[in-house]
Amino acid sequence: MSSVAVLTPESFAEHRSGLKDQEITGCVPEDEAYIPTYLEAFPPLPEKGAPGEKTGEPALPWGSKIRPIKASVITQVFHVPLEERRYKDNSQFGEGEEAKVCLDIMQRTGAHIELSLAKDQGLSIMVTGKLDSVMKARKEIVARLQTQASATVAIPKEHHRFVIGKNGEKLQELELKTATKIAIPRPDDPSANIRITGTKEGIEKARHEILLISAEQDKRAVERLSLEKAFHPFIAGAHNRLVQELSQETGARISIPPPSLPKDEIVITGEKEAVALAVNRIRAIYEDKKRKTTTISVEVKKSQHKYIIGPKGNTLQEILEATGVSVEMPPLDSASETIILRGEPDKLGPALTQVYAKAKSVMVVEVSAPAWLHRFIIGKKGQNIGRITQQLPRVHIEFTDGEERISLEGPTEEVELAQTQIQEIIKDLLVRMDYTEVNIDQRFHRHLIGKNGANINRIKEQYKVSVRIPQDSERSNLVRIEGDPKGVQMARRELIEMVQRMENERTKDLIVEQKFHRTIIGQKGEKIKEVRDKFPEVIITFPDPSQKSDIVQLRGPKNEVEKCAKFLQKIIADLIENSFSLSVPIFKQFHKNIIGKGGANIKKIREETNTKIDLPTENSNSETIVITGKKNNCEAARDRILAIQRDLANIKETEVAIPAKLHNSLIGSKGCLVRSIMEDCGGVHIHFPSEGSGSDKVTIRGPAGEVEKAKKQLLQLAEEKQVNNFTVELQAKPEYHKFLIGRGGANIRRVRDRTGARIIFPSPDDTEQELITIVGKEEAVRQAQKELEILVKNLDDVVEDSMEVDVRHHRHFVCRRGQVLRELAEEYGGVAVSFPRTGSSSQKVTLKGAKDCVEAAKKRIQEIIEDLESQVNVEVAVPQRHHRAIMGPKGSRIQNITREHEVQIKFPERDDSAAGQDASPQENGDVSPEAEFVPRKCDIITISGRVEKCELARAALLALVPITEDIEVSYDLHRYIIGQKGSGIRKLMEEYEVNIWVPQPERQLDVIRVTGLAANVERAKLGLLERVKELQAEQEDRALRSFKVTVSVDPKFHPKIIGRKGAVISQIRKDHDVSIQFPDKGDDQQDLIVICGYERNVEEARQAIQQLVSELQEMVSQDVHLDPRTHARIIGARGKAIRKLMEEFKVDIRFPQPGSDEPDKVTVTGLPDTVDAAIDHLLNLEEDYLLSVTETETLAAYMKPPSRHGGGGGAGGLDDSSGGPAKGFVVRDAPWNAAGNKAPDMSSAEDFPTFGTGVAPKQTSAWGPKKF
């Protein structure tokens, strides 16, 4: 620790070396003769962004990356099982101790807690709040609401690592196996005790397993004795006292398996002599008890067994201690009621007496009570039942929903007393209370309840009854009313009246265009309010605007709904009539004339025609004026507006007759053609009649010359379109159309190719189904028309013909409701094909229709027969369990095969009796698996068709048979592959189109089974193995990153290690990629800092922290006295200068607060050398700044303004005997001293104007013209 130097005023003055205090008076300083240069007196400012200049701060405060805002509120949910709940009074849930505890925790921590009761009576707890509040709340909840047993087991410290296992695998396995939490002390902790937390049975199992592991690793003697399980209690003694005494006497460690573990083996470890002695003693006890003891069996009701066992098995231990008899109980999950007592004959009697006493110490009684009375028996907030349980705390009362009984359990006398009290309550309630059930249609339930329960709550309060309306999911019509008999009847009457009123209600839908909805509703709903006031019993519902629906719903009494509907329809009719719209193009320059002065013209037109006229905005390019109202009124307004335009300019209007069918082609895509003509002809307006009007008149309006030019261009374009748009219509029966088109459009394509004309057949939606349109050049259209007319004429010549078809093929044509015959008729111009009746031996088939169609149909039938005769049946044996997978969704896969290969596939009938025989077949689905596959009738799939196509179909069918492949995947990785809520496994199954089976966790198998198509299974296997590699790599990385080291650091250094806003510790974390945790305020060991990460990084971070601590330990603080006038200069703007100085010298500098007793005291903290260097630098700065301060003060006195009356002092307060103007401040090499420049006249009010004077400046003044 270096000594601290204390600066005195004398040493400080000495340090300044040469700075002498001069009394500033009216005298001239010694250096008066020296005249500074202009650059010395007025040094130039440094240039912005000069090279090498360090500002110490970023150029812009917003240039740095903005950290993302993190949510300050978090939510955590956890579960407390029933057996671990401290308060289990379910009848008072939400009102008992649990609620009080939660309220207290919420007040103490500021977190929000919500409790809910699960179906298993476990407790679900949701905690919401800031992170630290949630953590504190959760800690208190676990401590105050959850009970768990815990125990410790001591094994040698060197054996701990064997319990943990490689990468903690053994410990995880042990915790999973025993359902406990095992806490092993850290290596630096001298304690050898391992703490086990969990259920008593789990603790016993874990303790036994840990002791076994320790025994196996113990280098001393280990002896295993296999003795009958029945004699273990005698060796262990009551409460394990005998085995503990034996361990203490011999010095050997004796491990006896707990009763729940079905093992006979007792393990003894320790020194050889001690083990041998313990073995002899145990064998002696065993031989003695085996020789002397006998057994008796008794039958006790299964329900009473738990009272014999007692809490945590204490009762059995008490019987063993008192009588020396072991009581062997059957497992709780067993149906056996036999209890075996083992002991010496003279002691079996007293033991049996105790067993019966314990069995009968608790009584279970059931009291009959209607289920609807249960909640009244319990009372409001459990008041009634609470009085009984407070008086008789050892009686447990249980109500079961839906059952007409109440269970009481406890000591016999108290149970009988509680039974009497409950029966009295039931008797009283049956006298005072009544209930009834009303059958009400479910559709009325929500109306009975009302908005936010208004109706039903009113009935409950008015009649003091309880009304239970079933949930929609129950699909029940029974409404139950409970309470005072008179109130029940009155409530029932009111509910029935409400239902009758609702049954008289009617709902009517009005179709109203959505564009009128807003108008009908009116501003702020004023108009619809008037309608509702007029029809108060009718509910009018408009659809949400986002639904784009036109349906307005009316609901209420039938007559009122009808009246309201008529009223609304009248309003709608008026709206429709007044919603006619016209668009009038008017040249932009005439819009102001149409508006008139102050809007007079447009207002007059609106009023006289009763229309709404909208003009485009002034800065809009549109020239269209929109008129809305009744049709006649709109047309009148349009004529008046056009008349104004004609009067104002030489506007000509002409009409051109162009066939309506050419209008769309003349307008062009999005109006491009007509727009080009209008732009080319000086902005004329061309108006086509509305589509569907049938009018041929096209109106052109604009300047006379431009109108003629536009007319010429329009007619020329129409002529071109007419030439290439010649159209002819042809009539042909709809049934001929498919024949004219041909298979795949072959016939019609030939006509098009030969003639070049386009032939359009009617779509199914067209009204004229017989009309065929031919479009193109006139010559091509005529030629195509001629060819089609010939074809149609041939089709009109109906002929009748016949052919011979073998009887065995008839079924193919007539099956499936004549599907093949329908296809022939559609394809060949409606030809009628008649086959002989079923059962007839005739082979004659009659065809009737157009000659060409009949010939084509005969040819097609012959082709089908040839295919049928060459057909073969191929059988494919596939296990029945795969048939559904082969078919695919809705048989899509089979349909694809039949369509692609032109075959028929028939699946056998399902044989459910054979399903059980498929339990262990070969899963790869091949027809010849390794395990012998004997095809059954239900396994045979039949394929019919040509030989070569059947073979192709067979191969395609077998390719669809799913295979199953087992992939070896470590059990530890299964949960990661499954993913959160199964998302990972679902993604794999969807991506590869396979089914993936993961074994149950308790089986702990290292295999995953993949089923699907062979190609998909192979892809899934590769994908799964790739995922396994990723998980293994993550696991290895996680293990490497979990290396931990604790560093002991005095808490006083923690703030310095953390740094301002965590800057220092964040930098260490970032530099070394580690996690560093500081102790919480309530922790016992406040000096421990935990570092976690990769081993090398952790070591480097530890060294960095230790180095930082060593530097902090070496730091000293020294005070230095600096003139307060210099503090602001040293600190700099916004502390910039002092921060730079602290960074440069690696010290912390603290200035006194305003109003401090020692305003000149500055504290410097850091390493001794850096503190001394920083103090020296501060003193130097003070010296420089004091000189500047002194000069400034001197200059201020020297530069006092001269007296306006000449009697004042000169510069610096000097007397001037001449009484002339002051000398002023003089500099050398000033800009005005250069050749051609004139020095400014300091006495001139023009060169140096005084604010507020009225001197008029000259035009050449450098200050510019004066502003008034």
Side-chain angles (χ1 to χ4, degrees):
M1 189 81 177
S2 61
S3 59
V4 178
V6 180
L7 290 175
T8 62
E10 293 76 20
S11 60
F12 175 68
E14 202 173 352
H15 177 78
R16 293 195 310 188
S17 63
L19 179 64
K20 295 181 179 179
D21 295 332
Q22 297 180 5
E23 186 181 352
I24 301 174
T25 62
C27 302
V28 179
E30 292 178 2
D31 57 352
E32 182 190 13
Y34 176 76
I35 299 174
T37 65
Y38 182 87
L39 290 176
E40 288 174 347
F42 304 97
L45 292 172
E47 296 208 1
K48 190 175 181 182
E53 182 179 337
K54 294 182 181 178
T55 62
E57 287 184 348
L60 291 172
W62 53 83
S64 59
K65 185 178 179 182
I66 298 172
R67 293 184 180 180
I69 296 173
K70 294 183 179 178
S72 60
V73 177
I74 66 164
T75 300
Q76 284 195 5
V77 179
F78 55 99
H79 186 71
V80 179
L82 174 64
E83 60 271 17
E84 294 177 13
R85 284 178 59 190
R86 183 164 290 177
Y87 308 100
K88 300 181 182 178
D89 189 2
N90 298 338
S91 63
Q92 296 184 3
F93 179 71
E95 301 292 335
E97 287 298 318
E98 285 175 341
K100 291 178 184 176
V101 169
C102 287
L103 190 62
D104 181 48
I105 294 170
M106 286 165 67
Q107 290 172 348
R108 286 157 60 93
T109 63
H112 179 70
I113 302 171
E114 290 185 16
L115 298 181
S116 61
L117 205 61
K119 289 183 179 178
D120 61 357
Q121 299 300 308
L123 203 62
S124 291
I125 305 170
M126 183 168 76
V127 188
T128 306
K130 292 186 177 180
L131 180 61
D132 55 343
S133 301
V134 171
M135 293 297 105
K136 289 176 186 175
R138 177 166 183 169
K139 189 176 180 181
E140 288 203 29
I141 288 167
V142 171
R144 296 172 66 180
L145 294 184
Q146 189 170 359
T147 60
Q148 279 197 329
S150 65
T152 57
V153 57
I155 63 172
K157 190 78 175 176
E158 59 270 22
H159 292 177
H160 286 193
R161 62 193 182 91
F162 297 104
V163 177
I164 296 170
K166 187 179 180 182
N167 295 329
E169 290 175 359
K170 185 68 179 175
L171 182 62
Q172 290 175 8
E173 181 185 353
L174 195 57
E175 288 181 337
L176 191 66
K177 187 176 178 181
T178 61
T180 57
K181 178 66 179 174
I182 302 171
I184 297 176
R186 284 183 282 200
D188 54 350
D189 189 341
S191 172
N193 289 333
I194 296 174
R195 178 166 290 278
I196 311 166
T197 307
T199 61
K200 182 177 179 296
E201 182 179 336
I203 290 171
E204 288 177 350
K205 288 182 182 179
R207 183 176 181 278
H208 178 68
E209 292 293 335
I210 290 169
L211 291 174
L212 283 180
I213 292 168
S214 178
E216 287 172 3
Q217 299 302 328
D218 200 329
K219 294 189 168 101
R220 295 174 293 173
V222 178
E223 187 73 33
R224 300 177 187 274
L225 291 179
S226 186
L227 304 176
E228 289 178 54
K229 185 83 176 176
F231 293 96
H232 286 192
F234 298 111
I235 297 167
H239 303 289
N240 289 325
R241 287 178 193 148
L242 184 57
V243 76
Q244 288 171 7
E245 290 172 6
L246 200 57
S247 291
Q248 288 174 1
E249 288 176 14
T250 62
R253 192 160 63 251
I254 303 168
S255 177
I256 299 175
S260 57
L261 200 66
K263 282 187 177 181
D264 293 339
E265 194 174 66
I266 298 175
V267 181
I268 306 131
T269 58
E271 298 294 335
K272 289 185 179 179
E273 293 178 2
V275 169
L277 184 59
V279 168
N280 291 335
R281 293 282 299 275
I282 290 169
R283 285 193 183 277
I285 294 169
Y286 171 70
E287 295 296 338
D288 180 58
K289 292 296 178 183
K290 191 172 183 181
R291 187 177 63 258
K292 292 181 179 180
T293 59
T294 184
T295 61
I296 60 170
S297 300
V298 294
E299 297 290 325
V300 178
K301 285 185 180 179
K302 192 74 178 179
S303 59
Q304 304 301 110
H305 284 200
K306 57 184 176 182
Y307 309 122
I308 298 170
I309 297 169
K312 299 182 180 178
N314 285 340
T315 306
L316 295 179
Q317 297 296 326
E318 289 170 6
I319 295 171
L320 179 62
E321 186 177 23
T323 63
V325 174
S326 168
V327 181
E328 298 169 18
M329 306 294 297
L332 291 175
D333 55 357
S334 166
S336 173
E337 296 184 342
T338 303
I339 298 174
I340 299 171
L341 281 73
R342 187 182 301 274
E344 296 178 13
D346 57 334
K347 295 178 180 178
L348 287 173
L352 184 60
T353 303
Q354 285 199 31
V355 167
Y356 277 125
K358 294 295 182 184
K360 294 179 180 179
S361 63
V362 176
M363 179 182 182
V364 178
V365 172
E366 289 186 353
V367 179
S368 297
W372 66 274
L373 270 185
H374 285 190
R375 61 192 191 86
F376 298 106
I377 295 168
I378 295 168
K380 190 175 183 181
K381 296 183 179 179
Q383 288 177 353
N384 297 345
I385 210 70
R387 283 197 293 269
I388 298 173
T389 53
Q390 286 172 8
Q391 183 185 352
L392 307 167
R394 290 190 293 172
V395 177
H396 175 70
I397 304 171
E398 184 177 344
F399 292 83
T400 308
D401 286 344
E403 294 187 13
E404 299 193 344
R405 61 185 176 84
I406 303 168
S407 299
L408 287 77
E409 182 179 338
T412 307
E413 293 179 1
E414 293 189 7
V415 166
E416 289 174 351
L417 187 58
Q419 182 183 6
T420 305
Q421 291 184 16
I422 288 174
Q423 284 174 339
E424 287 176 359
I425 293 171
I426 293 168
K427 186 177 179 181
D428 177 58
L429 287 172
L430 286 172
V431 172
R432 292 190 298 105
M433 306 292 288
D434 191 11
Y435 82 94
T436 186
E437 289 182 340
V438 188
N439 198 328
I440 298 174
D441 196 310
Q442 197 173 13
R443 63 197 168 98
F444 298 132
H445 288 183
R446 62 190 182 91
H447 303 297
L448 292 179
I449 295 168
K451 190 175 183 181
N452 297 326
N455 295 344
I456 206 69
N457 288 337
R458 179 184 57 78
I459 292 171
K460 286 178 181 178
E461 290 174 10
Q462 186 175 346
Y463 303 116
K464 307 299 181 187
V465 294
S466 170
V467 183
R468 185 190 176 279
I469 297 176
Q471 298 289 334
D472 291 345
S473 56
E474 295 179 28
R475 300 189 179 281
S476 171
N477 292 337
L478 285 179
V479 176
R480 189 182 183 95
I481 310 169
E482 300 167 356
D484 179 71
K486 187 177 179 182
V488 166
Q489 293 305 318
M490 292 176 72
R492 179 178 182 276
R493 193 180 305 116
E494 181 161 345
L495 285 177
I496 291 171
E497 287 174 2
M498 288 173 68
V499 171
Q500 286 173 347
R501 284 200 304 272
M502 284 186 283
E503 283 176 342
N504 187 41
E505 281 188 353
R506 183 186 171 189
T507 300
K508 185 168 184 176
D509 292 340
L510 287 181
I511 305 299
V512 183
E513 286 186 62
Q514 197 177 32
K515 64 181 180 180
F516 297 131
H517 290 187
R518 188 181 292 276
T519 311
I520 295 169
I521 294 168
Q523 191 174 7
K524 296 182 180 179
E526 292 174 357
K527 292 187 179 179
I528 198 64
K529 187 176 181 297
E530 292 175 6
V531 178
R532 284 173 175 153
D533 291 343
K534 191 177 179 68
F535 304 98
E537 294 183 47
V538 179
I539 298 170
I540 305 170
T541 309
F542 285 86
D544 190 271
S546 60
Q547 294 178 354
K548 306 292 183 187
S549 173
D550 294 337
I551 297 174
V552 177
Q553 191 179 73
L554 310 179
R555 185 167 59 84
K558 185 177 179 181
N559 295 335
E560 291 297 307
V561 166
E562 290 297 331
K563 290 177 184 176
C564 183
K566 288 179 181 178
F567 184 78
L568 284 175
Q569 282 168 347
K570 185 179 178 183
I571 293 173
I572 294 160
D574 292 342
L575 286 173
I576 292 170
E577 187 180 0
N578 291 318
S579 64
F580 181 79
S581 180
L582 272 179
S583 295
V584 186
I586 300 295
F587 291 102
K588 193 78 174 180
Q589 63 266 31
F590 301 132
H591 283 198
K592 60 182 179 181
N593 304 98
I594 290 167
I595 295 169
K597 190 174 182 180
N601 293 350
I602 199 71
K603 186 178 179 182
K604 186 178 180 183
I605 296 171
R606 283 171 178 162
E607 288 175 355
E608 292 180 0
T609 61
N610 194 22
T611 56
K612 179 186 175 186
I613 303 173
D614 295 317
L615 286 88
T617 56
E618 195 171 334
N619 55 357
S620 168
N621 293 326
S622 174
E623 296 184 339
T624 304
I625 297 175
V626 179
I627 308 169
T628 309
K630 292 184 179 180
K631 186 176 180 182
N632 295 335
N633 296 346
C634 288
E635 289 173 351
R638 180 190 61 187
D639 294 341
R640 292 184 64 170
I641 290 171
L642 289 174
I644 293 172
Q645 181 178 242
R646 279 195 299 271
D647 293 343
L648 291 169
N650 181 24
I651 300 299
K652 182 183 177 183
E653 183 178 306
T654 186
E655 291 182 349
V656 184
I658 297 174
K661 63 184 179 181
L662 297 178
H663 288 185
N664 284 340
S665 59
L666 291 175
I667 292 168
S669 177
K670 297 181 181 180
C672 61
L673 293 179
V674 76
R675 198 183 305 118
S676 66
I677 295 174
M678 289 193 291
E679 290 171 1
D680 190 37
C681 300
V684 297
H685 291 131
I686 301 175
H687 176 70
F688 285 85
S690 57
E691 194 172 355
S693 66
S695 174
D696 292 342
K697 291 181 180 179
V698 179
T699 306
I700 307 171
R701 187 183 303 113
E706 299 299 334
V707 166
E708 289 301 322
K709 184 179 176 183
K711 178 180 178 182
K712 186 177 178 182
Q713 286 192 21
L714 197 62
L715 289 172
Q716 186 179 350
L717 185 61
E719 188 178 347
E720 290 175 6
K721 295 290 182 183
Q722 181 75 25
V723 171
N724 293 318
N725 203 36
F726 185 75
T727 304
V728 167
E729 292 177 347
L730 186 69
Q731 296 283 341
K733 292 178 183 178
E735 55 265 28
Y736 293 165
H737 291 185
K738 280 198 175 182
F739 182 75
L740 292 173
I741 294 167
R743 184 179 287 185
N747 297 344
I748 207 67
R749 199 181 299 114
R750 280 197 298 270
V751 176
R752 285 175 181 167
D753 292 343
R754 283 198 299 268
T755 63
R758 191 157 58 96
I759 302 165
I760 303 167
F761 285 85
S763 65
D765 300 330
D766 290 343
T767 52
E768 292 289 338
Q769 286 293 310
E770 294 189 358
L771 204 63
I772 300 172
T773 307
I774 310 169
V775 182
K777 291 185 179 181
E778 185 176 0
E779 185 182 348
V781 168
R782 296 296 183 193
Q783 186 180 347
Q785 180 188 12
K786 188 176 178 181
E787 290 190 17
L788 285 176
E789 283 175 346
I790 293 169
L791 288 172
V792 172
K793 187 179 178 182
N794 291 338
L795 291 172
D796 286 336
D797 295 336
V798 177
V799 296
E800 186 173 326
D801 201 352
S802 63
M803 63 182 298
E804 297 288 328
V805 176
D806 198 313
V807 175
R808 59 195 170 97
H809 299 314
H810 287 193
R811 188 175 180 280
H812 173 78
F813 289 93
V814 298
C815 68
R816 291 175 296 165
R817 298 182 182 178
Q819 176 68 27
V820 178
L821 297 180
R822 283 201 303 275
E823 289 173 1
L824 286 170
E826 288 176 7
E827 193 172 343
Y828 298 104
V831 66
V833 183
S834 301
F835 277 78
R837 290 186 181 181
T838 306
S840 172
S841 58
S842 173
Q843 297 184 0
K844 185 179 180 182
V845 176
T846 305
L847 295 89
K848 187 176 182 180
K851 186 177 180 181
D852 293 346
C853 293
V854 169
E855 290 300 324
K858 281 174 67 177
K859 187 177 179 183
R860 178 61 187 146
I861 291 171
Q862 198 61 46
E863 289 173 3
I864 293 171
I865 291 167
E866 288 175 6
D867 286 343
L868 291 172
E869 287 178 345
S870 61
Q871 267 189 3
V872 295
N873 289 338
V874 174
E875 293 183 346
V876 185
V878 176
Q880 181 179 282
R881 66 181 181 277
H882 297 312
H883 288 187
R884 182 172 293 179
I886 292 171
M887 288 180 185
K890 297 181 181 179
S892 58
R893 292 177 180 169
I894 287 300
Q895 289 169 11
N896 290 339
I897 293 174
T898 55
R899 193 182 305 112
E900 185 178 348
H901 300 291
E902 297 179 1
V903 294
Q904 297 294 323
I905 300 175
K906 183 181 179 184
F907 280 81
E909 293 292 331
R910 184 171 178 81
D911 186 0
D912 293 328
S913 63
Q917 300 173 21
D918 275 350
S920 58
Q922 173 70 17
E923 294 192 351
N924 286 344
D926 296 332
V927 289
S928 56
E930 293 175 9
E932 290 185 9
F933 168 57
V934 180
R936 304 183 303 271
K937 186 178 179 181
C938 60
D939 298 330
I940 303 299
I941 300 171
T942 306
I943 306 173
S944 303
R946 289 181 178 270
V947 178
E948 62 277 8
K949 292 183 178 179
C950 284
E951 288 301 322
L952 292 171
R954 180 180 183 276
L957 203 62
L958 290 175
L960 294 175
V961 176
I963 66 165
T964 299
E965 188 166 339
D966 289 346
I967 302 170
E968 189 173 346
V969 177
S970 174
Y971 165 73
D972 298 335
L973 300 178
H974 287 190
R975 62 195 182 102
Y976 300 110
I977 290 170
I978 293 169
Q980 190 175 15
K981 295 182 180 179
S983 59
I985 206 80
R986 278 199 302 274
K987 185 180 177 183
L988 286 171
M989 290 196 290
E990 289 169 6
E991 184 177 351
Y992 299 111
E993 296 180 6
V994 293
N995 183 43
I996 300 176
W997 175 81
V998 180
Q1000 294 296 325
E1002 56 268 17
R1003 296 178 66 183
Q1004 298 189 5
L1005 298 177
D1006 293 336
V1007 69
I1008 288 179
R1009 186 167 294 162
V1010 183
T1011 304
L1013 301 183
N1016 294 350
V1017 168
E1018 189 59 33
R1019 287 192 305 115
K1021 179 181 177 182
L1022 295 174
L1024 198 58
L1025 292 175
E1026 188 65 32
R1027 177 66 178 144
V1028 168
K1029 286 180 184 177
E1030 291 174 9
L1031 291 172
Q1032 287 172 342
E1034 288 174 11
Q1035 214 170 32
E1036 290 171 7
D1037 184 66
R1038 202 178 301 117
L1040 292 172
R1041 287 184 70 92
S1042 62
F1043 183 78
K1044 283 186 181 178
V1045 163
T1046 55
V1047 184
S1048 181
V1049 177
D1050 194 320
K1052 69 180 181 180
F1053 295 130
H1054 288 191
K1056 292 288 184 183
I1057 295 170
I1058 294 168
R1060 191 178 179 208
K1061 295 183 180 179
V1064 177
I1065 201 67
S1066 296
Q1067 191 61 41
I1068 294 173
R1069 286 171 177 152
K1070 184 179 177 183
D1071 291 345
H1072 302 289
D1073 189 22
V1074 293
S1075 168
I1076 303 174
Q1077 298 293 329
F1078 284 82
D1080 291 331
K1081 288 183 180 178
D1083 288 353
D1084 297 333
Q1085 297 174 317
Q1086 286 291 309
D1087 60 330
L1088 290 184
I1089 299 173
V1090 180
I1091 311 170
C1092 183
Y1094 294 112
E1095 186 174 358
R1096 180 181 173 186
N1097 295 356
V1098 167
E1099 189 58 34
E1100 289 175 355
R1102 184 177 66 81
Q1103 291 174 5
I1105 290 174
Q1106 287 176 341
Q1107 183 180 349
L1108 194 57
V1109 171
S1110 62
E1111 289 175 0
L1112 291 170
Q1113 288 172 341
E1114 293 174 6
M1115 284 187 177
V1116 297
S1117 291
Q1118 292 187 28
D1119 295 337
V1120 59
H1121 295 272
L1122 303 177
D1123 193 307
R1125 293 175 295 172
T1126 64
H1127 287 190
R1129 294 282 298 275
I1130 294 169
I1131 293 169
R1134 297 183 181 179
K1136 182 177 176 182
I1138 199 67
R1139 278 200 301 273
K1140 186 176 179 183
L1141 196 143
M1142 287 193 291
E1143 288 173 7
E1144 184 179 344
F1145 290 96
K1146 307 295 182 186
V1147 293
D1148 183 58
I1149 303 173
R1150 299 290 172 187
F1151 284 82
Q1153 295 292 329
S1156 172
D1157 296 336
E1158 295 181 278
D1160 60 343
K1161 181 181 175 182
V1162 178
T1163 304
V1164 185
T1165 306
L1167 296 174
D1169 295 341
T1170 58
V1171 168
D1172 293 342
I1175 289 175
D1176 288 342
H1177 186 74
L1178 285 171
L1179 293 171
N1180 288 335
L1181 287 175
E1182 184 202 30
E1183 181 182 337
D1184 293 343
Y1185 295 153
L1186 269 177
L1187 281 171
S1188 175
V1189 168
T1190 307
E1191 287 172 3
T1192 304
E1193 289 176 352
T1194 304
L1195 187 61
Y1198 188 74
M1199 287 295 293
K1200 281 182 181 177
S1203 171
R1204 292 289 181 189
H1205 306 286
L1214 297 171
D1215 258 349
D1216 192 349
S1217 58
S1218 63
K1223 182 181 177 182
F1225 184 77
V1226 182
V1227 295
R1228 292 180 290 115
D1229 303 327
W1232 52 80
N1233 291 339
N1237 290 342
K1238 180 185 175 184
D1241 183 3
M1242 293 175 62
S1243 62
S1244 168
E1246 293 174 0
D1247 291 341
F1248 294 89
T1250 302
F1251 291 110
T1253 62
V1255 179
K1258 296 178 182 179
Q1259 292 299 322
T1260 57
S1261 172
W1263 296 88
K1266 187 175 180 68
K1267 295 181 180 178
F1268 295 95

